[in-house]
Amino acid sequence: FPGIGVIAAPLYTVQFLPDGTVDIGADCNRAGGTWSGGDGALSIAVTTSTRAYCPPPSISEPYLAALNGVTGYTLLGTTLVLHGATGDMTFSL
């Protein structure tokens, strides 16, 4: 996550489903929404989320906001890089 560095435990996840929806893990919260794109372009709309309080150092809210700002992606082997206005987020597949 931009400005945070590596997060060892899988607290922040995003799964792109074939039906155009996303399943998101955001620390102690779960979220969902839609995705569209291809050929390096990507748009994610987070439309639902639980609102549990996640104790510090949680980045649940900024993470969901960053997903809403994704504009593209790069797939490098088993690494997915999401690009957006706030910077790049790198995920291991």
Side-chain angles (χ1 to χ4, degrees), residues 39-65:
D39 295 325
L42 180 63
S43 176
I44 300 172
V46 179
T47 57
T48 62
S49 176
T50 58
R51 306 288 292 168
Y53 172 75
C54 304
S58 178
I59 58 166
S60 180
E61 291 298 318
Y63 173 66
L64 294 176

Side-chain angles (χ1 to χ4, degrees), residues 4-18:
I4 301 297
V6 175
I7 300 171
L11 298 174
Y12 301 94
T13 62
V14 60
Q15 182 180 13
F16 298 90
L17 302 172

Side-chain angles (χ1 to χ4, degrees), residues 15-82:
Q15 182 180 13
F16 298 90
L17 302 172
D19 65 356
T21 61
V22 288
D23 182 32
I24 301 165
D27 197 352
C28 65
N29 286 297
R30 299 294 307 165
T34 59
W35 71 272
S36 62
D39 295 325
L42 180 63
S43 176
I44 300 172
V46 179
T47 57
T48 62
S49 176
T50 58
R51 306 288 292 168
Y53 172 75
C54 304
S58 178
I59 58 166
S60 180
E61 291 298 318
Y63 173 66
L64 294 176
L67 287 177
N68 270 323
V70 166
T71 58
Y73 72 94
T74 304
L75 187 58
L76 306 166
T78 60
T79 300
L80 173 66
V81 181
L82 300 183

